[in-house]
Amino acid sequence: MTVCVRVQQEDFDVGAEVTALREGDGRVGAVAVFVGMVRDVSEETNIVAMTLEHYPGMTEKSLIRIIEEAQRRFAILGATVIHRVGTLRPLDQIVLIAVKSEHRGEAFDACRFIIDYLKTEAPFWKQEVTPDGTRWVNARVSDDAARSRWES
Amino acid sequence: MISLRLVYLARLREAFEISGETLEIPAESPTVGDVVALLRERGAPWSYELAEGRAVRVAVNHEMAGLHTSLRTHDELAFFPPVTGG
């Protein structure tokens, strides 16, 4: 099982990360990838920038625990999770989830499981910069619903 | 008497205007709830931000915790709003 977790300010190269994840591993028949981006509009307000804060020390542990839980539930061979922090602008990449497995079903399921859990468990907070000032993003009920899908 | 490291994140850090503090609490094994009660006694903004019904999450030593979680000296207790990453 290959596990790679990074919290960083720098951007990431999706192609390079997928290559690194599956490099030399002939068992891998599928890699599923999710990339989250900053949108330029949120709740009908223009977004100038977004600042992402996290809880150093807890964040990495939380991400590793989520991947381990995905591994317990799905037959996956490895996963990479990269989450950016600091100031980002519209169109910037925020998060990468890449999962490798023998067949596509497990990779797709585990990828979705990891992002759904990340959104409700990993200690990150977004603050939006709008033309009228800054505001903290509120947690979404739909994110809790997405997560609870996995609990039935 | 035990000594705790308190950490405030995101909206709570801004509201309290500090990112953390060391708190001495006159009890042998207090719970998270005991600490919350002590902080509320400071008045606003503590009483407001940590009021019952406010969306606040707690972690003890980097693990999600609840009001009944008991604390030992040098534990790190973090307060933060529901997470919004991804």
Side-chain angles (χ1 to χ4, degrees), chain A residues 53-58 61 65 83 94-95 118-127 136-139, chain B residues 7-14 57 59 61-64 76-86:
Chain A
E53 172 180 337
H54 76 121
Y55 180 11
M58 178 169 175
K61 286 183 202 166
R65 192 175 318 118
H83 203 299
I94 303 175
V95 60
L118 184 154
K119 278 194 164 276
T120 54
E121 285 204 350
F124 292 99
W125 299 273
K126 288 178 183 146
Q127 192 177 44
W136 289 100
V137 173
N138 287 317
Chain B
V7 175
Y8 308 117
L9 293 144
R11 188 191 74 229
L12 296 181
R13 185 195 63 249
E14 287 194 340
R57 301 286 181 266
N61 300 330
H62 302 148
E63 300 281 347
M64 294 305 293
E76 180 168 303
L77 174 53
F79 293 91
F80 46 82
V83 302
T84 56

mmCIF file of all heavy atoms in Angstrom, chain A residues 53-58 61 65 83 94-95 118-127 136-139, chain B residues 7-14 57 59 61-64 76-86:
data_model
loop_
_atom_site.group_PDB
_atom_site.id
_atom_site.type_symbol
_atom_site.label_atom_id
_atom_site.label_comp_id
_atom_site.label_asym_id
_atom_site.label_seq_id
_atom_site.Cartn_x
_atom_site.Cartn_y
_atom_site.Cartn_z
ATOM 1 N N GLU A 53 -6.719 27.683 5.607
ATOM 2 C CA GLU A 53 -5.979 27.487 6.860
ATOM 3 C C GLU A 53 -6.141 26.041 7.293
ATOM 4 O O GLU A 53 -7.138 25.401 6.975
ATOM 5 C CB GLU A 53 -6.603 28.430 7.906
ATOM 6 C CG GLU A 53 -6.091 28.231 9.321
ATOM 7 C CD GLU A 53 -6.756 29.204 10.305
ATOM 8 O OE1 GLU A 53 -7.240 30.265 9.873
ATOM 9 O OE2 GLU A 53 -6.784 28.878 11.495
ATOM 10 N N HIS A 54 -5.154 25.502 8.024
ATOM 11 C CA HIS A 54 -5.311 24.140 8.552
ATOM 12 C C HIS A 54 -4.727 24.058 9.951
ATOM 13 O O HIS A 54 -4.252 25.064 10.495
ATOM 14 C CB HIS A 54 -4.686 23.119 7.603
ATOM 15 C CG HIS A 54 -3.185 23.057 7.650
ATOM 16 N ND1 HIS A 54 -2.499 21.905 7.963
ATOM 17 C CD2 HIS A 54 -2.236 24.010 7.431
ATOM 18 C CE1 HIS A 54 -1.192 22.149 7.912
ATOM 19 N NE2 HIS A 54 -1.013 23.400 7.597
ATOM 20 N N TYR A 55 -4.804 22.884 10.530
ATOM 21 C CA TYR A 55 -4.323 22.670 11.900
ATOM 22 C C TYR A 55 -3.092 21.770 11.812
ATOM 23 O O TYR A 55 -3.215 20.547 11.812
ATOM 24 C CB TYR A 55 -5.444 22.027 12.715
ATOM 25 C CG TYR A 55 -5.146 21.714 14.164
ATOM 26 C CD1 TYR A 55 -4.004 22.189 14.823
ATOM 27 C CD2 TYR A 55 -6.034 20.943 14.902
ATOM 28 C CE1 TYR A 55 -3.767 21.895 16.144
ATOM 29 C CE2 TYR A 55 -5.808 20.632 16.237
ATOM 30 C CZ TYR A 55 -4.671 21.109 16.842
ATOM 31 O OH TYR A 55 -4.437 20.800 18.169
ATOM 32 N N PRO A 56 -1.897 22.371 11.692
ATOM 33 C CA PRO A 56 -0.681 21.574 11.528
ATOM 34 C C PRO A 56 -0.574 20.537 12.647
ATOM 35 O O PRO A 56 -0.861 20.832 13.803
ATOM 36 C CB PRO A 56 0.439 22.611 11.632
ATOM 37 C CG PRO A 56 -0.206 23.899 11.243
ATOM 38 C CD PRO A 56 -1.608 23.810 11.766
ATOM 39 N N GLY A 57 -0.169 19.333 12.291
ATOM 40 C CA GLY A 57 -0.067 18.278 13.302
ATOM 41 C C GLY A 57 -1.271 17.361 13.222
ATOM 42 O O GLY A 57 -1.129 16.148 13.137
ATOM 43 N N MET A 58 -2.459 17.954 13.216
ATOM 44 C CA MET A 58 -3.667 17.121 13.123
ATOM 45 C C MET A 58 -4.009 16.799 11.678
ATOM 46 O O MET A 58 -4.509 15.695 11.383
ATOM 47 C CB MET A 58 -4.853 17.824 13.778
ATOM 48 C CG MET A 58 -6.149 17.030 13.686
ATOM 49 S SD MET A 58 -7.457 17.705 14.712
ATOM 50 C CE MET A 58 -8.840 16.653 14.246
ATOM 51 N N LYS A 61 -2.357 13.605 10.113
ATOM 52 C CA LYS A 61 -2.871 12.396 10.773
ATOM 53 C C LYS A 61 -4.281 12.096 10.298
ATOM 54 O O LYS A 61 -4.638 10.942 10.068
ATOM 55 C CB LYS A 61 -2.917 12.604 12.295
ATOM 56 C CG LYS A 61 -1.575 12.581 12.977
ATOM 57 C CD LYS A 61 -1.786 12.721 14.484
ATOM 58 C CE LYS A 61 -0.536 13.247 15.163
ATOM 59 N NZ LYS A 61 -0.800 13.698 16.525
ATOM 60 N N ARG A 65 -5.537 8.787 8.290
ATOM 61 C CA ARG A 65 -6.600 7.948 8.854
ATOM 62 C C ARG A 65 -7.720 7.729 7.828
ATOM 63 O O ARG A 65 -8.275 6.643 7.712
ATOM 64 C CB ARG A 65 -7.168 8.587 10.126
ATOM 65 C CG ARG A 65 -8.054 7.628 10.891
ATOM 66 C CD ARG A 65 -8.536 8.175 12.232
ATOM 67 N NE ARG A 65 -7.510 8.878 12.954
ATOM 68 C CZ ARG A 65 -7.584 10.161 13.277
ATOM 69 N NH1 ARG A 65 -8.620 10.877 12.911
ATOM 70 N NH2 ARG A 65 -6.623 10.730 13.954
ATOM 71 N N HIS A 83 -3.252 18.597 -0.423
ATOM 72 C CA HIS A 83 -4.174 19.709 -0.163
ATOM 73 C C HIS A 83 -3.349 20.978 -0.004
ATOM 74 O O HIS A 83 -2.394 21.002 0.755
ATOM 75 C CB HIS A 83 -4.978 19.438 1.111
ATOM 76 C CG HIS A 83 -6.267 20.196 1.164
ATOM 77 N ND1 HIS A 83 -6.327 21.578 1.149
ATOM 78 C CD2 HIS A 83 -7.550 19.774 1.228
ATOM 79 C CE1 HIS A 83 -7.600 21.950 1.205
ATOM 80 N NE2 HIS A 83 -8.361 20.888 1.249
ATOM 81 N N ILE A 94 -6.990 23.167 -5.688
ATOM 82 C CA ILE A 94 -6.962 23.141 -4.215
ATOM 83 C C ILE A 94 -6.502 21.773 -3.703
ATOM 84 O O ILE A 94 -5.658 21.676 -2.832
ATOM 85 C CB ILE A 94 -8.369 23.385 -3.611
ATOM 86 C CG1 ILE A 94 -8.969 24.696 -4.089
ATOM 87 C CG2 ILE A 94 -8.293 23.355 -2.081
ATOM 88 C CD1 ILE A 94 -10.406 24.901 -3.609
ATOM 89 N N VAL A 95 -7.138 20.729 -4.257
ATOM 90 C CA VAL A 95 -6.927 19.406 -3.668
ATOM 91 C C VAL A 95 -6.837 18.339 -4.760
ATOM 92 O O VAL A 95 -7.504 18.448 -5.786
ATOM 93 C CB VAL A 95 -8.071 19.085 -2.667
ATOM 94 C CG1 VAL A 95 -9.432 19.083 -3.344
ATOM 95 C CG2 VAL A 95 -7.855 17.763 -1.943
ATOM 96 N N LEU A 118 -12.819 13.748 3.645
ATOM 97 C CA LEU A 118 -11.933 14.904 3.812
ATOM 98 C C LEU A 118 -12.758 16.163 4.080
ATOM 99 O O LEU A 118 -12.427 16.963 4.954
ATOM 100 C CB LEU A 118 -11.062 15.064 2.557
ATOM 101 C CG LEU A 118 -10.005 16.164 2.564
ATOM 102 C CD1 LEU A 118 -8.868 15.798 1.603
ATOM 103 C CD2 LEU A 118 -10.544 17.531 2.196
ATOM 104 N N LYS A 119 -13.836 16.311 3.343
ATOM 105 C CA LYS A 119 -14.639 17.529 3.448
ATOM 106 C C LYS A 119 -15.328 17.690 4.795
ATOM 107 O O LYS A 119 -15.697 18.789 5.176
ATOM 108 C CB LYS A 119 -15.684 17.574 2.323
ATOM 109 C CG LYS A 119 -15.092 18.085 1.011
ATOM 110 C CD LYS A 119 -16.189 18.437 0.023
ATOM 111 C CE LYS A 119 -15.654 19.284 -1.112
ATOM 112 N NZ LYS A 119 -15.603 20.706 -0.799
ATOM 113 N N THR A 120 -15.538 16.572 5.510
ATOM 114 C CA THR A 120 -16.234 16.683 6.799
ATOM 115 C C THR A 120 -15.329 16.414 7.996
ATOM 116 O O THR A 120 -15.729 16.641 9.126
ATOM 117 C CB THR A 120 -17.427 15.700 6.860
ATOM 118 O OG1 THR A 120 -16.957 14.392 6.561
ATOM 119 C CG2 THR A 120 -18.504 16.084 5.859
ATOM 120 N N GLU A 121 -14.099 15.917 7.763
ATOM 121 C CA GLU A 121 -13.242 15.533 8.894
ATOM 122 C C GLU A 121 -11.893 16.219 8.952
ATOM 123 O O GLU A 121 -11.383 16.478 10.042
ATOM 124 C CB GLU A 121 -12.980 14.025 8.855
ATOM 125 C CG GLU A 121 -14.165 13.226 9.299
ATOM 126 C CD GLU A 121 -13.766 11.858 9.826
ATOM 127 O OE1 GLU A 121 -12.599 11.472 9.677
ATOM 128 O OE2 GLU A 121 -14.643 11.200 10.388
ATOM 129 N N ALA A 122 -11.277 16.480 7.813
ATOM 130 C CA ALA A 122 -9.912 17.002 7.842
ATOM 131 C C ALA A 122 -9.940 18.490 8.228
ATOM 132 O O ALA A 122 -10.754 19.254 7.713
ATOM 133 C CB ALA A 122 -9.247 16.810 6.483
ATOM 134 N N PRO A 123 -9.062 18.898 9.150
ATOM 135 C CA PRO A 123 -9.127 20.265 9.695
ATOM 136 C C PRO A 123 -8.566 21.340 8.753
ATOM 137 O O PRO A 123 -7.463 21.830 8.933
ATOM 138 C CB PRO A 123 -8.341 20.165 11.004
ATOM 139 C CG PRO A 123 -7.377 19.056 10.776
ATOM 140 C CD PRO A 123 -8.043 18.081 9.833
ATOM 141 N N PHE A 124 -9.391 21.690 7.765
ATOM 142 C CA PHE A 124 -9.098 22.807 6.855
ATOM 143 C C PHE A 124 -10.264 23.787 6.946
ATOM 144 O O PHE A 124 -11.416 23.366 7.115
ATOM 145 C CB PHE A 124 -9.012 22.329 5.402
ATOM 146 C CG PHE A 124 -7.845 21.436 5.095
ATOM 147 C CD1 PHE A 124 -8.009 20.061 5.049
ATOM 148 C CD2 PHE A 124 -6.581 21.971 4.820
ATOM 149 C CE1 PHE A 124 -6.945 19.227 4.739
ATOM 150 C CE2 PHE A 124 -5.510 21.141 4.508
ATOM 151 C CZ PHE A 124 -5.695 19.765 4.475
ATOM 152 N N TRP A 125 -9.940 25.068 6.785
ATOM 153 C CA TRP A 125 -10.999 26.088 6.766
ATOM 154 C C TRP A 125 -10.723 27.079 5.645
ATOM 155 O O TRP A 125 -9.593 27.535 5.467
ATOM 156 C CB TRP A 125 -11.067 26.838 8.098
ATOM 157 C CG TRP A 125 -11.376 25.913 9.220
ATOM 158 C CD1 TRP A 125 -12.619 25.526 9.643
ATOM 159 C CD2 TRP A 125 -10.446 25.219 10.052
ATOM 160 N NE1 TRP A 125 -12.507 24.628 10.667
ATOM 161 C CE2 TRP A 125 -11.185 24.427 10.935
ATOM 162 C CE3 TRP A 125 -9.039 25.182 10.111
ATOM 163 C CZ2 TRP A 125 -10.571 23.608 11.888
ATOM 164 C CZ3 TRP A 125 -8.442 24.372 11.053
ATOM 165 C CH2 TRP A 125 -9.209 23.606 11.927
ATOM 166 N N LYS A 126 -11.796 27.429 4.924
ATOM 167 C CA LYS A 126 -11.678 28.371 3.809
ATOM 168 C C LYS A 126 -12.225 29.729 4.211
ATOM 169 O O LYS A 126 -13.310 29.822 4.799
ATOM 170 C CB LYS A 126 -12.506 27.873 2.631
ATOM 171 C CG LYS A 126 -11.945 26.679 1.912
ATOM 172 C CD LYS A 126 -12.893 26.264 0.795
ATOM 173 C CE LYS A 126 -12.385 25.021 0.086
ATOM 174 N NZ LYS A 126 -13.493 24.167 -0.355
ATOM 175 N N GLN A 127 -11.486 30.752 3.826
ATOM 176 C CA GLN A 127 -11.976 32.123 3.989
ATOM 177 C C GLN A 127 -11.966 32.760 2.601
ATOM 178 O O GLN A 127 -10.945 32.744 1.911
ATOM 179 C CB GLN A 127 -11.066 32.899 4.938
ATOM 180 C CG GLN A 127 -11.660 34.217 5.371
ATOM 181 C CD GLN A 127 -10.781 34.935 6.367
ATOM 182 O OE1 GLN A 127 -9.563 34.996 6.190
ATOM 183 N NE2 GLN A 127 -11.366 35.467 7.411
ATOM 184 N N TRP A 136 -15.743 33.795 6.298
ATOM 185 C CA TRP A 136 -15.453 32.371 6.472
ATOM 186 C C TRP A 136 -16.536 31.584 5.764
ATOM 187 O O TRP A 136 -17.717 31.912 5.859
ATOM 188 C CB TRP A 136 -15.427 32.005 7.953
ATOM 189 C CG TRP A 136 -14.226 32.554 8.648
ATOM 190 C CD1 TRP A 136 -14.171 33.681 9.430
ATOM 191 C CD2 TRP A 136 -12.893 32.039 8.593
ATOM 192 N NE1 TRP A 136 -12.894 33.885 9.862
ATOM 193 C CE2 TRP A 136 -12.084 32.900 9.382
ATOM 194 C CE3 TRP A 136 -12.299 30.935 7.978
ATOM 195 C CZ2 TRP A 136 -10.717 32.675 9.547
ATOM 196 C CZ3 TRP A 136 -10.943 30.730 8.145
ATOM 197 C CH2 TRP A 136 -10.162 31.589 8.924
ATOM 198 N N VAL A 137 -16.116 30.536 5.080
ATOM 199 C CA VAL A 137 -17.076 29.662 4.399
ATOM 200 C C VAL A 137 -17.759 28.798 5.456
ATOM 201 O O VAL A 137 -17.102 28.257 6.340
ATOM 202 C CB VAL A 137 -16.349 28.778 3.365
ATOM 203 C CG1 VAL A 137 -17.281 27.744 2.765
ATOM 204 C CG2 VAL A 137 -15.739 29.654 2.283
ATOM 205 N N ASN A 138 -19.074 28.673 5.384
ATOM 206 C CA ASN A 138 -19.814 27.823 6.319
ATOM 207 C C ASN A 138 -19.826 26.381 5.836
ATOM 208 O O ASN A 138 -19.836 26.119 4.633
ATOM 209 C CB ASN A 138 -21.258 28.310 6.465
ATOM 210 C CG ASN A 138 -21.323 29.585 7.270
ATOM 211 O OD1 ASN A 138 -20.649 29.737 8.295
ATOM 212 N ND2 ASN A 138 -22.119 30.533 6.804
ATOM 213 N N ALA A 139 -19.824 25.468 6.790
ATOM 214 C CA ALA A 139 -19.927 24.045 6.449
ATOM 215 C C ALA A 139 -21.266 23.812 5.764
ATOM 216 O O ALA A 139 -22.259 24.453 6.097
ATOM 217 C CB ALA A 139 -19.806 23.205 7.709
ATOM 218 N N VAL B 7 -5.642 25.736 21.739
ATOM 219 C CA VAL B 7 -5.400 26.215 20.370
ATOM 220 C C VAL B 7 -6.730 26.682 19.789
ATOM 221 O O VAL B 7 -7.739 25.977 19.911
ATOM 222 C CB VAL B 7 -4.809 25.088 19.489
ATOM 223 C CG1 VAL B 7 -4.675 25.540 18.036
ATOM 224 C CG2 VAL B 7 -3.464 24.633 20.030
ATOM 225 N N TYR B 8 -6.734 27.867 19.172
ATOM 226 C CA TYR B 8 -7.950 28.378 18.539
ATOM 227 C C TYR B 8 -7.683 28.547 17.044
ATOM 228 O O TYR B 8 -6.665 29.122 16.660
ATOM 229 C CB TYR B 8 -8.349 29.731 19.141
ATOM 230 C CG TYR B 8 -8.422 29.697 20.642
ATOM 231 C CD1 TYR B 8 -7.570 30.482 21.412
ATOM 232 C CD2 TYR B 8 -9.326 28.863 21.285
ATOM 233 C CE1 TYR B 8 -7.627 30.448 22.791
ATOM 234 C CE2 TYR B 8 -9.391 28.816 22.669
ATOM 235 C CZ TYR B 8 -8.538 29.612 23.420
ATOM 236 O OH TYR B 8 -8.588 29.564 24.779
ATOM 237 N N LEU B 9 -8.619 28.064 16.231
ATOM 238 C CA LEU B 9 -8.392 28.084 14.781
ATOM 239 C C LEU B 9 -9.512 28.800 14.039
ATOM 240 O O LEU B 9 -10.657 28.848 14.506
ATOM 241 C CB LEU B 9 -8.267 26.648 14.276
ATOM 242 C CG LEU B 9 -7.007 25.923 14.790
ATOM 243 C CD1 LEU B 9 -7.264 24.458 15.053
ATOM 244 C CD2 LEU B 9 -5.857 26.098 13.815
ATOM 245 N N ALA B 10 -9.160 29.314 12.867
ATOM 246 C CA ALA B 10 -10.121 29.921 11.930
ATOM 247 C C ALA B 10 -10.956 31.010 12.621
ATOM 248 O O ALA B 10 -10.392 31.916 13.229
ATOM 249 C CB ALA B 10 -10.975 28.832 11.288
ATOM 250 N N ARG B 11 -12.288 30.901 12.504
ATOM 251 C CA ARG B 11 -13.150 31.975 13.025
ATOM 252 C C ARG B 11 -12.913 32.223 14.526
ATOM 253 O O ARG B 11 -12.968 33.358 14.993
ATOM 254 C CB ARG B 11 -14.621 31.573 12.806
ATOM 255 C CG ARG B 11 -15.612 32.670 13.122
ATOM 256 C CD ARG B 11 -17.039 32.132 13.157
ATOM 257 N NE ARG B 11 -17.293 31.347 14.351
ATOM 258 C CZ ARG B 11 -17.851 30.140 14.356
ATOM 259 N NH1 ARG B 11 -18.218 29.585 13.232
ATOM 260 N NH2 ARG B 11 -18.055 29.495 15.482
ATOM 261 N N LEU B 12 -12.634 31.158 15.277
ATOM 262 C CA LEU B 12 -12.460 31.334 16.726
ATOM 263 C C LEU B 12 -11.176 32.096 17.041
ATOM 264 O O LEU B 12 -11.146 32.909 17.953
ATOM 265 C CB LEU B 12 -12.476 29.977 17.431
ATOM 266 C CG LEU B 12 -13.812 29.236 17.327
ATOM 267 C CD1 LEU B 12 -13.754 27.910 18.065
ATOM 268 C CD2 LEU B 12 -14.943 30.080 17.891
ATOM 269 N N ARG B 13 -10.120 31.854 16.269
ATOM 270 C CA ARG B 13 -8.870 32.591 16.485
ATOM 271 C C ARG B 13 -9.107 34.077 16.245
ATOM 272 O O ARG B 13 -8.638 34.925 17.005
ATOM 273 C CB ARG B 13 -7.773 32.079 15.548
ATOM 274 C CG ARG B 13 -6.410 32.727 15.798
ATOM 275 C CD ARG B 13 -5.415 32.501 14.677
ATOM 276 N NE ARG B 13 -5.890 33.102 13.449
ATOM 277 C CZ ARG B 13 -6.291 32.425 12.391
ATOM 278 N NH1 ARG B 13 -6.228 31.116 12.383
ATOM 279 N NH2 ARG B 13 -6.751 33.042 11.333
ATOM 280 N N GLU B 14 -9.856 34.380 15.196
ATOM 281 C CA GLU B 14 -10.131 35.793 14.906
ATOM 282 C C GLU B 14 -11.005 36.420 15.986
ATOM 283 O O GLU B 14 -10.773 37.544 16.403
ATOM 284 C CB GLU B 14 -10.826 35.924 13.545
ATOM 285 C CG GLU B 14 -9.888 35.669 12.400
ATOM 286 C CD GLU B 14 -10.455 36.125 11.063
ATOM 287 O OE1 GLU B 14 -11.691 36.290 10.953
ATOM 288 O OE2 GLU B 14 -9.656 36.303 10.140
ATOM 289 N N ARG B 57 -16.255 22.640 17.131
ATOM 290 C CA ARG B 57 -15.719 21.294 17.257
ATOM 291 C C ARG B 57 -14.492 21.341 18.165
ATOM 292 O O ARG B 57 -13.844 22.391 18.285
ATOM 293 C CB ARG B 57 -15.299 20.759 15.885
ATOM 294 C CG ARG B 57 -16.430 20.717 14.867
ATOM 295 C CD ARG B 57 -17.414 19.584 15.140
ATOM 296 N NE ARG B 57 -18.471 19.557 14.146
ATOM 297 C CZ ARG B 57 -19.658 20.159 14.289
ATOM 298 N NH1 ARG B 57 -19.907 20.857 15.392
ATOM 299 N NH2 ARG B 57 -20.577 20.076 13.351
ATOM 300 N N ALA B 59 -10.861 19.128 19.440
ATOM 301 C CA ALA B 59 -9.927 18.011 19.287
ATOM 302 C C ALA B 59 -8.996 18.008 20.493
ATOM 303 O O ALA B 59 -8.565 19.065 20.963
ATOM 304 C CB ALA B 59 -9.116 18.150 17.999
ATOM 305 N N ASN B 61 -5.397 16.446 21.624
ATOM 306 C CA ASN B 61 -4.187 15.806 21.081
ATOM 307 C C ASN B 61 -4.411 15.317 19.648
ATOM 308 O O ASN B 61 -4.044 14.194 19.284
ATOM 309 C CB ASN B 61 -3.724 14.658 21.992
ATOM 310 C CG ASN B 61 -3.403 15.155 23.378
ATOM 311 O OD1 ASN B 61 -2.997 16.304 23.560
ATOM 312 N ND2 ASN B 61 -3.628 14.316 24.371
ATOM 313 N N HIS B 62 -5.046 16.183 18.850
ATOM 314 C CA HIS B 62 -5.256 15.942 17.411
ATOM 315 C C HIS B 62 -6.317 14.905 17.092
ATOM 316 O O HIS B 62 -6.437 14.488 15.939
ATOM 317 C CB HIS B 62 -3.942 15.570 16.710
ATOM 318 C CG HIS B 62 -2.873 16.615 16.847
ATOM 319 N ND1 HIS B 62 -1.541 16.318 16.896
ATOM 320 C CD2 HIS B 62 -2.958 17.963 16.961
ATOM 321 C CE1 HIS B 62 -0.847 17.432 17.032
ATOM 322 N NE2 HIS B 62 -1.686 18.447 17.065
ATOM 323 N N GLU B 63 -7.084 14.472 18.098
ATOM 324 C CA GLU B 63 -8.186 13.531 17.843
ATOM 325 C C GLU B 63 -9.491 14.242 18.168
ATOM 326 O O GLU B 63 -9.584 14.919 19.201
ATOM 327 C CB GLU B 63 -8.081 12.291 18.757
ATOM 328 C CG GLU B 63 -6.802 11.481 18.598
ATOM 329 C CD GLU B 63 -6.829 10.574 17.390
ATOM 330 O OE1 GLU B 63 -7.907 10.364 16.806
ATOM 331 O OE2 GLU B 63 -5.739 10.086 17.015
ATOM 332 N N MET B 64 -10.501 14.049 17.322
ATOM 333 C CA MET B 64 -11.798 14.662 17.600
ATOM 334 C C MET B 64 -12.290 14.190 18.974
ATOM 335 O O MET B 64 -12.130 13.035 19.336
ATOM 336 C CB MET B 64 -12.818 14.279 16.527
ATOM 337 C CG MET B 64 -12.505 14.828 15.135
ATOM 338 S SD MET B 64 -12.296 16.634 15.075
ATOM 339 C CE MET B 64 -13.972 17.153 15.458
ATOM 340 N N GLU B 76 -3.225 18.916 24.504
ATOM 341 C CA GLU B 76 -3.504 20.036 23.599
ATOM 342 C C GLU B 76 -4.978 19.981 23.206
ATOM 343 O O GLU B 76 -5.442 18.992 22.630
ATOM 344 C CB GLU B 76 -2.625 19.959 22.343
ATOM 345 C CG GLU B 76 -2.889 21.121 21.379
ATOM 346 C CD GLU B 76 -1.837 21.232 20.278
ATOM 347 O OE1 GLU B 76 -0.639 21.365 20.626
ATOM 348 O OE2 GLU B 76 -2.202 21.171 19.096
ATOM 349 N N LEU B 77 -5.685 21.041 23.537
ATOM 350 C CA LEU B 77 -7.131 21.106 23.313
ATOM 351 C C LEU B 77 -7.394 22.195 22.273
ATOM 352 O O LEU B 77 -7.086 23.362 22.498
ATOM 353 C CB LEU B 77 -7.796 21.447 24.650
ATOM 354 C CG LEU B 77 -9.283 21.708 24.725
ATOM 355 C CD1 LEU B 77 -10.067 20.573 24.109
ATOM 356 C CD2 LEU B 77 -9.688 21.888 26.187
ATOM 357 N N ALA B 78 -7.929 21.791 21.110
ATOM 358 C CA ALA B 78 -8.154 22.754 20.021
ATOM 359 C C ALA B 78 -9.643 22.994 19.824
ATOM 360 O O ALA B 78 -10.448 22.056 19.886
ATOM 361 C CB ALA B 78 -7.541 22.231 18.730
ATOM 362 N N PHE B 79 -9.993 24.250 19.607
ATOM 363 C CA PHE B 79 -11.379 24.633 19.317
ATOM 364 C C PHE B 79 -11.433 25.188 17.901
ATOM 365 O O PHE B 79 -10.603 26.026 17.530
ATOM 366 C CB PHE B 79 -11.848 25.724 20.287
ATOM 367 C CG PHE B 79 -11.963 25.266 21.706
ATOM 368 C CD1 PHE B 79 -10.890 25.377 22.577
ATOM 369 C CD2 PHE B 79 -13.156 24.719 22.181
ATOM 370 C CE1 PHE B 79 -11.001 24.957 23.896
ATOM 371 C CE2 PHE B 79 -13.278 24.300 23.496
ATOM 372 C CZ PHE B 79 -12.193 24.414 24.355
ATOM 373 N N PHE B 80 -12.415 24.729 17.115
ATOM 374 C CA PHE B 80 -12.533 25.237 15.744
ATOM 375 C C PHE B 80 -13.949 25.055 15.223
ATOM 376 O O PHE B 80 -14.717 24.244 15.743
ATOM 377 C CB PHE B 80 -11.505 24.568 14.825
ATOM 378 C CG PHE B 80 -11.387 23.065 14.959
ATOM 379 C CD1 PHE B 80 -12.279 22.225 14.313
ATOM 380 C CD2 PHE B 80 -10.362 22.499 15.711
ATOM 381 C CE1 PHE B 80 -12.156 20.849 14.418
ATOM 382 C CE2 PHE B 80 -10.233 21.110 15.824
ATOM 383 C CZ PHE B 80 -11.138 20.285 15.168
ATOM 384 N N PRO B 81 -14.299 25.797 14.160
ATOM 385 C CA PRO B 81 -15.608 25.625 13.540
ATOM 386 C C PRO B 81 -15.641 24.338 12.709
ATOM 387 O O PRO B 81 -14.577 23.756 12.457
ATOM 388 C CB PRO B 81 -15.754 26.843 12.615
ATOM 389 C CG PRO B 81 -14.474 27.582 12.671
ATOM 390 C CD PRO B 81 -13.501 26.842 13.517
ATOM 391 N N PRO B 82 -16.827 23.896 12.273
ATOM 392 C CA PRO B 82 -16.895 22.745 11.364
ATOM 393 C C PRO B 82 -15.967 22.981 10.172
ATOM 394 O O PRO B 82 -15.860 24.105 9.679
ATOM 395 C CB PRO B 82 -18.359 22.729 10.927
ATOM 396 C CG PRO B 82 -19.095 23.342 12.076
ATOM 397 C CD PRO B 82 -18.175 24.409 12.603
ATOM 398 N N VAL B 83 -15.315 21.907 9.709
ATOM 399 C CA VAL B 83 -14.276 22.051 8.686
ATOM 400 C C VAL B 83 -14.883 22.332 7.307
ATOM 401 O O VAL B 83 -16.012 21.936 7.019
ATOM 402 C CB VAL B 83 -13.379 20.807 8.640
ATOM 403 C CG1 VAL B 83 -12.749 20.575 10.011
ATOM 404 C CG2 VAL B 83 -14.158 19.574 8.196
ATOM 405 N N THR B 84 -14.104 23.020 6.471
ATOM 406 C CA THR B 84 -14.606 23.411 5.135
ATOM 407 C C THR B 84 -13.537 23.270 4.057
ATOM 408 O O THR B 84 -13.438 24.087 3.151
ATOM 409 C CB THR B 84 -15.117 24.873 5.151
ATOM 410 O OG1 THR B 84 -14.057 25.733 5.617
ATOM 411 C CG2 THR B 84 -16.308 25.044 6.054
ATOM 412 N N GLY B 85 -12.719 22.203 4.168
ATOM 413 C CA GLY B 85 -11.670 22.011 3.158
ATOM 414 C C GLY B 85 -12.186 21.301 1.916
ATOM 415 O O GLY B 85 -13.387 21.140 1.727
ATOM 416 N N GLY B 86 -11.248 20.874 1.096
ATOM 417 C CA GLY B 86 -11.583 20.122 -0.106
ATOM 418 C C GLY B 86 -11.886 21.010 -1.290
ATOM 419 O O GLY B 86 -11.902 22.204 -1.202
#
